Amino acid sequence: MATVQVSEAEKVYILHGIRDDLRVDGRGCEDYRHMEVETDVVSNTDGSAKVTLGHTAVLVGIKAEIGKPRPMVANEGYLEFFVDCSANATPEFEGRGGEELGTELSNTLYKVFNNQHSLDLKSLCISPGEHCWVLYVDVLLLQCDGNLYDSISVAIKAALFITKIPRVHISSDEEGGKEIELSDDPYDCMRLDVENVPCIVTLCKIGHRHVVDATLQEKACSVASLIISVTHKGIITCSRKVGRGSLDPESICEMIETGKRVGKALHPPLMKLLQQEESLGKKRQKVGFLG
Amino acid sequence: MLKSKTFVKKTRSGGVLKVVREHYLRDDIWCGSEVCTECKQDSTVLQRDACIESSLCPYPHYLVPDTNVVLHQIDVLEDPVIRNVIILQTVLQEVRHRSAPVYKRLKDIIHEQGRHFYTFTNEHHRETFIEREPGESANDQNDRAIRVAVKWYSQHLKTPESGPDGLKVVLLTNDQGNKLKAEETGVVVYKFDEYIKSLIGNPELVDCLALSNDDKNEITSSKVLFPEHLPLSKVQAGIKSGSFLQGTFRASRDNYLEATVFVQGEGEDSTEVLIQGLQNLNRAVHQDVVAVQLLPKNQWVAPSSVVLQDDGAAKDDNVDEDEEEKVLTGALTETARRATGKVVGIIKRNWRPFCGMLNVSQIKESTRHLFTPADRRIPRIRIETRQASTLAGQRIMVAIDGWPKDSRYPNGHFVRSLGAAGEKDTEEEVLLLEHDVPHQAFSQAVLSFLPKMPWSITPEDMAQRQDLRHLTVCSVDPPGCTDIDDALHCRELENGKLEVGVHIADVSHFIRPGNALDKEAANRGTTVYLCGKRIDMVPELLSSNLCSLRSNVERFAFSCIWEMNHKAEILKTRFTKSVINSKASLTYAEAQMRIDDANKNDDITESLRGLNKLAKILKKKRIENGALTLSSLEVRFHMDSETHDPIDLQTKELMETNSMVEEFMLLANISVAQKIYEEFPESALLRKHPAPPPSNYDILIKAAKSKNVMIHTDSAKALADSLDGAKVDGFQYFNTLLRILATRCMMPAVYFCSGMDSDFHHYGLASPIYTHFTSPIRRYADIIVHRLLAVAISADGTYPDLMDKHKQSALCNNLNYRHKMSQYAQRSSVAFHTQLFFKTRGILNEKGFVLFVRKNAIIVLIPKFGLEGTVFFDSKDKASPNLVFDEEGPTLKVEQHTFHIFDQVKVTISLDDSNIQHQKIRMALIEPVIPGVSVPAPEAEPQAKKRKLDR
């Protein structure tokens, strides 16, 4: 992971600031940096979104393909995650440098979505036991400036929101042979209900307090963080501790409470933004990667 | 400006793929009109003064047809009267997608400069591009694109000075909804038939109109005659599940109420399903691909032996068809029953324009008439025309538009007239059309790829080729041959060995892969030789001039040069592109005379003698190897130089020099086949001749047995030997007859791609590998072989299609088809000229031999004319004599006389022209005399002889 060198004096400065609920860039402990979301940025995906948070930039593309349902859950589709740490983001990712982080991130994403609440997987089923939609969620890290988890989760939610899956129907003959038929209207699409898709909140333990959306400098001052994924109702779908250090039980409870509160508050403005963007339709000026 | 086109499609493996294509819009697409001052175009296609005399549009106007108009009314659009037409890209693309033949015809019109057809790429034009809207179907989008383009055109061409009578753009559509929407946007729009009917100067175009859907209803009564066809999706599902069978519909020649459907199974396992009765045939037309459902076994029937022709007056649609079908049900023996089915759906129509004649309706004022196609397997077609009286007695072409389920006959429209029936040109045209021989003049696009004249050999050409101009090369061909594609030389080398060269016209130098000329040649596949006419595969400039290896001019050649010893054993083989200068173009007879004339000792003659000597050794070796010498009678007509009518005919004579040329061609072909197969084991184009299944020989063995001759057919060698040994004293012609019969037992030789097949053997030539290399002017296969060989010796570059075995294989299929059709056309042409010949001769009587014995007839071969005819013993109007057919012999006992194969008979020959569409040679028996069956020898003969002397 991208790291910065922070001197002892700086660390003390940051620590003291956080103790007084005033961070280096002027934020409070529970404030996010400025966040930008744009959807439908890659035309040959079924849904895509780009999120920048501070200088962190991630791109998520979703491709829907027809696959076979998993044997245990014959009437559900599934998601596949892949995180690509581009060497663009930081030179450390060059070669196979980003592989470990990529695996760690995608494993976390599997855990976050491994529940009944986040996405209605049954809607991805085409014919039970035979065909279902598999959503390949590809995450590309474009720039690392701390707090990858949160920005990835927001980007995934935005990309799932805009994902358009071509509507298919199964025609079967009297012999039981099944044929997938595709509508020839490109506007005839299925949309996903993303209301319950969780967002990840990373809480960084710095000194005795914890902060949301830590910058790289702040991160360098912390020994452990807790990531929790929260739905809009405040349900926690997953929590993990990352970092070398340990957390005492009391502060874990505190951090979970903060996480819930921050997470819950994250959803409504995001949804509002996404709906607003979509209502612009074709008139929307695309920003893309050059904006 | 960049837009992207997005669509989803299903992949072959069942997945769903989203495809995004970039789509660039431009502002430099010009309108192509002379009137326009805004567009910066170099040349214009559409005229300023675009006038067609129309009562609807008195002002000058451009026409914009929509897709369906182009698809269905291409016959009208092809008429030279229709000019100044804008073909939108949207229309062009959809036509291409929906019908390849129509697309080709449309492209041909667009290329014709005098027609002023302009292609407007509206989908890339900044102002006429539209994006698909939610809820809009692909068709609606196209219709809208067309309307937008027309709207743009009409505004674009509107100049301040043009008043109400200024230039306008007229949209032609048959779609009512589209028309209404177009009117709303203020576009001038007419229905296509409306517009064509308004053309004051050209009323005959109305006949060419294809019937549109709403017209069809008025023609027919409301009674439903046929069961509905199943939709394609159901048909496909049925075929998948096995409840339906898919096959090619083959109507019976003799009985219009009967057909078979040929179902191609896995490998050899193919079946035929019998279809009987109008209802079960259910509007399928010969060659359609149909889905059939088998009937329950108790309803299976046997093929009827009755000859039934659908003639007489047009039957009312209400006619009770039971009446017609009563004739069908005969005695049913259990063994004769065959799998019987009914047509439930049409998978693919294979309609083409059909040649035939009009049966003029008895009702004087009627405009609806029935059309009888020349091909008996095609049903009669109902057409609408006002020029019936002029068309009667003419050969015409008619296209089928559709066959509604409440109509007894399919509906069609008149395409064009070919000329008066029975005339030579007309009949020639008919036979070319009926055998699907492409014979139109070469299009401008094709001709544009010809080398510019005057053509000469450049130093660069010389650098790439071996200079063989000093060699004494000469060509030997039949008299009158102008497309000389092979030349030979032979000389003694200093080491005492012989050098033999076969030089083949280098056609592949002029025909480059993939251009229009190449595509046209690939489609034509072969040059077709008719009596007194040649339908070239490549334009004449190439076939008779630049490629033809004429004497005393420098020509490019592809040479195959062997070093041989005097025993004709090949020591070295070498292939090279070369330049040659033939010293003489000889005929077979001239060459023969030179060889025989002991006084001549010039280089050419010496070369010929050397070749001849080697050829004899080669032939002997080949025959020892088991190559077959088969025989078929070929006739040549002596034509009157002015009328081109046949004056006399003779069977072709074979000279030593014929076989000399043939031997070296075979040798070259085999050498090349080995070379290209060695280099390209996956994609060599070869020719094989499969061994016939043993049952094919039954008739030959039986026939020979009747003369106490044994024929062994275990191998080609055994067959060749026993044919050589087959002689009967006092019956000189017996051997030839046997060979003719043996020829009929053979399988056809075919082209194939080496990567797609494992059996390469050429049975007739007893060669393990064979190809065609020596006639690239008249066969496309040879051009491909040339290209392969050129790549193999690095004389030329390759291209992807050459190495693609699937494309190669598809090409082979076309070549095999064209080859087969050209042979049929050739035979029909000979038959037609034979008829012309006998027309002027009256009745002749000639000696002949029985070639086959059938249940009710014998087939007689007249060696003098190479003519085969059938003597029927039963006829409709007479009581048939007592006939006993013995399949074992086979023999046929007529009253007291028994006919065997090879019996000598005497017959009268005359032309039966009672049916003008199907003239035929009629034969009747004179000897042996069978009372009540044979006819007395006619006295007309001496008279005919006298006439012959008069000339």
Side-chain angles (χ1 to χ4, degrees), chain B residues 294-324:
Chain B
L294 287 181
L295 295 173
K297 243 184 176 148
N298 55 11
Q299 290 178 32
W300 286 14
V301 290
S304 72
S305 47
V306 208
V307 176
L308 213 54
Q309 269 177 40
D310 186 14
D311 43 31
K315 287 187 183 73
D316 204 344
D317 291 331
N318 299 327
V319 141
D320 205 0
E321 56 281 339
D322 296 349
E323 199 122 334
E324 298 174 42

Side-chain angles (χ1 to χ4, degrees), chain B residues 31-32 61 71 101 163 274 297 397 436 613 638 652 759 775 812 836 843-844 946:
Chain B
C31 68
H61 54 278
L71 279 173
L274 186 72
K297 243 184 176 148
M397 278 183 94
D436 196 13
K613 208 179 97 198
H638 287 279
K652 274 185 193 162
D759 174 28
S775 303
C812 288
L836 274 187
I843 300 170
L844 297 179
K946 220 196 293 169

Side-chain angles (χ1 to χ4, degrees), chain A residues 40 42-47 63-66 133 166 168 173-175 178-187 282, chain B residues 4 6-10 14-20 131-139 233 237-238 240-241 243:
Chain A
D40 206 10
V42 185
S43 60
N44 49 5
T45 59
D46 294 295
K63 288 286 262 181
E65 276 178 34
I66 292 180
W133 286 107
V168 292
D173 48 34
E174 56 266 38
E175 299 292 312
K178 279 178 185 158
E179 188 82 19
I180 292 177
E181 275 174 29
L182 199 59
S183 152
D184 75 327
D185 183 359
Y187 292 98
K282 282 189 179 159
Chain B
S4 62
T6 308
F7 56 96
V8 271
K9 69 168 189 184
K10 218 171 96 178
V16 170
L17 201 66
K18 182 177 174 188
V19 183
V20 181
E131 265 180 291
R132 187 157 174 176
E133 278 170 6
E136 193 176 42
S137 77
N139 277 334
S233 56
K240 229 178 196 176
S241 68
S243 54

Side-chain angles (χ1 to χ4, degrees), chain A residues 116-149:
Chain A
Q116 298 294 317
H117 308 288
S118 24
L119 206 60
D120 179 18
L121 294 175
K122 289 198 177 70
S123 69
L124 294 177
C125 178
I126 299 168
S127 69
E130 284 177 30
H131 301 290
C132 69
W133 286 107
V134 182
L135 299 182
Y136 290 91
V137 181
D138 293 313
V139 181
L140 182 63
L141 302 185
L142 298 172
Q143 206 171 350
C144 290
D145 185 26
N147 206 8
L148 290 175
Y149 284 102

Side-chain angles (χ1 to χ4, degrees), chain B residues 692-724:
Chain B
S695 60
N696 274 24
Y697 287 123
D698 286 355
I699 187 77
L700 179 69
I701 295 171
K702 276 184 197 168
K705 220 177 185 175
S706 68
K707 297 282 176 214
N708 291 321
V709 175
M710 288 305 288
I711 298 285
H712 301 279
T713 56
D714 321 335
S715 66
K717 171 97 179 109
L719 178 63
D721 287 347
S722 45
L723 281 176
D724 286 340

Side-chain angles (χ1 to χ4, degrees), chain B residues 676-690:
Chain B
I676 59 173
Y677 179 59
E678 203 174 281
E679 291 290 328
F680 309 109
E682 280 293 297
S683 58
L685 191 151
L686 301 175
R687 188 168 173 83
K688 69 169 175 180
H689 183 207

Side-chain angles (χ1 to χ4, degrees), chain B residues 601-805:
Chain B
N601 281 314
D602 54 297
D603 280 355
I604 298 173
T605 314
E606 285 303 319
S607 175
L608 284 172
R609 285 195 188 124
L611 288 168
N612 198 25
K613 208 179 97 198
L614 290 173
K616 280 184 185 162
I617 306 172
L618 286 171
K619 184 167 187 183
K620 198 166 148 249
K621 274 200 239 170
R622 211 162 50 80
I623 288 180
E624 275 167 14
N625 268 330
L628 294 172
T629 322
L630 298 171
S631 178
S632 60
L633 287 174
E634 276 193 80
V635 287
R636 261 193 99 77
F637 289 92
H638 287 279
M639 299 283 206
D640 189 306
S641 56
E642 269 154 39
T643 61
H644 294 290
D645 284 336
I647 308 169
D648 199 0
L649 85 189
Q650 69 177 120
T651 47
K652 274 185 193 162
E653 236 181 297
L654 289 181
M655 274 175 277
E656 230 175 36
T657 41
N658 283 64
S659 95
M660 172 186 93
V661 173
E662 191 191 334
E663 259 347 290
F664 285 105
M665 294 307 129
L666 292 178
L667 195 63
N669 285 337
I670 293 169
S671 291
V672 171
Q674 282 162 349
K675 175 77 180 174
I676 59 173
Y677 179 59
E678 203 174 281
E679 291 290 328
F680 309 109
E682 280 293 297
S683 58
L685 191 151
L686 301 175
R687 188 168 173 83
K688 69 169 175 180
H689 183 207
S695 60
N696 274 24
Y697 287 123
D698 286 355
I699 187 77
L700 179 69
I701 295 171
K702 276 184 197 168
K705 220 177 185 175
S706 68
K707 297 282 176 214
N708 291 321
V709 175
M710 288 305 288
I711 298 285
H712 301 279
T713 56
D714 321 335
S715 66
K717 171 97 179 109
L719 178 63
D721 287 347
S722 45
L723 281 176
D724 286 340
K727 283 194 182 71
V728 171
D729 290 334
F731 189 6
Q732 243 185 328
Y733 207 64
F734 174 68
N735 195 276
T736 316
L737 280 175
L738 263 191
R739 285 183 200 274
I740 292 174
L741 268 189
T743 315
R744 307 269 165 103
C745 303
M746 295 298 154
M747 305 283 284
V750 287
Y751 296 108
F752 69 103
C753 174
S754 59
M756 305 291 277
D757 210 327
S758 53
D759 174 28
F760 295 180
H761 195 74
H762 197 293
Y763 182 78
L765 296 172
S767 169
I769 190 164
Y770 192 66
T771 192
H772 269 163
F773 168 70
T774 54
S775 303
I777 300 181
R778 60 185 176 88
R779 289 189 305 233
Y780 189 74
D782 302 51
I783 295 183
I784 293 290
V785 171
H786 274 228
R787 287 182 185 154
L788 286 166
L789 185 64
V791 176
I793 63 165
S794 344
D796 205 343
T798 179
Y799 58 100
D801 284 4
L802 192 65
M803 296 297 146
D804 183 334
K805 62 180 179 178

Side-chain angles (χ1 to χ4, degrees), chain B residues 480-484 534 540 543-545 548-550 777:
Chain B
C481 176
T482 59
D483 50 348
I484 304 170
R534 190 176 84 198
E540 194 171 3
S543 67
S544 302
N545 186 356
S548 181
L549 303 177
R550 297 187 298 182
I777 300 181

